[in-house]
């Protein structure tokens, strides 16, 4: 099922908040390589593969194509091919067009796959029986959304972040202005 507000048209996908959020997260992490076109397309593919299980709907309406080095959204590739193998510059992300659940999911996708090299991401997108492999070996240009919906592989599982802390490990709370309010006995400000 697709949520109406989140349908991404072919023309609008180049400006999609999913793409810009993924680039923003990867480029803001000092331990990460910059986001390249190849890497971005693989992360978007993994986001798509896991979205049905996690969100209950496919995150991206546009079609993924089965290219030699894995799945690609042609509009994304065309938008960034001028960067070659170089990193894609960070662009502002319109977070308001994503639900909180979608934002957290995208963060989890980047967190899950960021430790892997780009060549490993390419290999992971080529897994036997996976959507890309089914389309590519059948000489299909488009990776069927049915292939994506039917695919269930633990190797591409995107687990939600789990904090090591419990709510009771924290003292105080943030008010509506996001100011930390401490209990009276710990507030030494006069």
């Amino acid at each position: 099922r697709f949520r109406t507000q989140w349908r991404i048209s072919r023309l609008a996908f180049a400006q999609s908040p999913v793409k810009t959020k993924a680039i923003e997260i990867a480029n803001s992490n000092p331990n990460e390589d910059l986001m390249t076109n190849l890497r971005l397309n693989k992360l978007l593919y993994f986001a798509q593969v896991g979205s049905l299980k996690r969100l209950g709907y496919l995150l991206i309406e546009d079609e993924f194509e089965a290219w030699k080095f894995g799945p690609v959204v042609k509009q994304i590739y065309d938008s960034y091919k001028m960067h070659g193998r170089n990193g894609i510059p960070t662009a502002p992300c319109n977070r308001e067009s994503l639900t909180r659940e979608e934002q957290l999911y995208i963060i989890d996708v980047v967190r899950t796959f960021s430790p892997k090299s780009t060549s490993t991401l390419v290999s992971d997108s080529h897994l036997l029986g996976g959507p890309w492999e089914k389309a590519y070996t059948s000489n299909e240009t488009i990776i069927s959304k049915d292939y994506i919906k039917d695919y269930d592989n633990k190797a591409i599982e995107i687990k939600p972040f789990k904090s090591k802390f419990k709510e009771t490990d924290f003292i105080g709370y943030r008010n509506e202005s996001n100011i930390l309010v401490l209990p009276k006995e710990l507030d030494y400000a006069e």
Side-chain angles (χ1 to χ4, degrees):
R1 118 182 139 83
F2 286 96
R3 291 187 21 237
T4 306
Q5 80 167 49
W6 186 232
R7 288 191 176 215
I8 302 172
S9 73
R10 292 191 182 286
L11 297 174
F13 190 71
Q15 303 303 320
S16 89
V18 176
K19 171 205 56 130
T20 54
K21 184 69 175 169
I23 294 169
E24 175 187 29
I25 294 165
N27 286 348
S28 66
N29 186 343
N31 298 326
E32 281 302 307
D33 293 336
L34 289 177
M35 184 69 76
T36 62
N37 200 346
L38 181 65
R39 189 171 186 83
L40 174 61
N41 272 285
K42 299 312 156 261
L43 290 176
L44 292 173
Y45 171 72
F46 295 131
Q48 181 78 325
V49 168
S51 66
L52 194 60
K53 182 185 264 185
R54 173 89 171 265
L55 301 172
Y57 53 91
L58 291 175
L59 188 62
I60 301 163
E61 186 175 294
D62 284 86
E63 302 289 349
F64 283 84
E65 296 183 9
W67 290 17
K68 179 180 179 180
F69 292 107
V72 172
V73 175
K74 186 165 178 1
Q75 295 83 351
I76 293 295
Y77 175 81
D78 289 343
S79 295
Y80 294 116
K81 66 183 175 186
M82 81 281 281
H83 297 289
R85 293 179 178 211
N86 299 317
I88 298 169
T90 302
C93 176
N94 179 7
R95 291 186 179 106
E96 292 163 3
S97 60
L98 295 169
T99 67
R100 176 163 170 70
E101 187 178 11
E102 290 166 343
Q103 290 182 47
L104 293 173
Y105 175 68
I106 295 164
I107 291 168
D108 288 338
V109 169
V110 174
R111 181 188 50 76
T112 299
F113 294 102
S114 65
K116 297 184 176 194
S117 68
T118 301
S119 60
T120 300
L121 294 178
V122 170
S123 294
D124 287 353
S125 71
H126 291 192
L127 292 175
L128 191 62
W132 174 87
E133 192 263 347
K134 283 183 180 179
Y136 193 75
T137 57
S138 300
N139 292 318
E140 298 173 34
T141 304
I142 303 298
I143 299 172
S144 164
K145 288 199 168 109
D146 288 333
Y147 290 168
I148 292 171
K149 289 175 185 176
D150 294 341
Y151 188 61
D152 186 25
N153 189 307
K154 300 289 184 217
I156 301 181
E157 188 172 356
I158 297 142
K159 296 181 181 172
F161 174 75
K162 298 228 187 289
S163 176
K164 296 177 184 178
F165 301 102
K166 299 178 290 223
E167 192 67 34
T168 56
D169 291 339
F170 299 96
I171 298 173
Y173 65 93
R174 296 227 174 247
N175 66 14
E176 60 277 349
S177 300
N178 204 28
I179 296 171
L180 180 62
V181 178
L182 295 173
K184 199 132 191 92
E185 64 270 11
L186 296 176
D187 190 359
Y188 302 112
E190 298 286 328

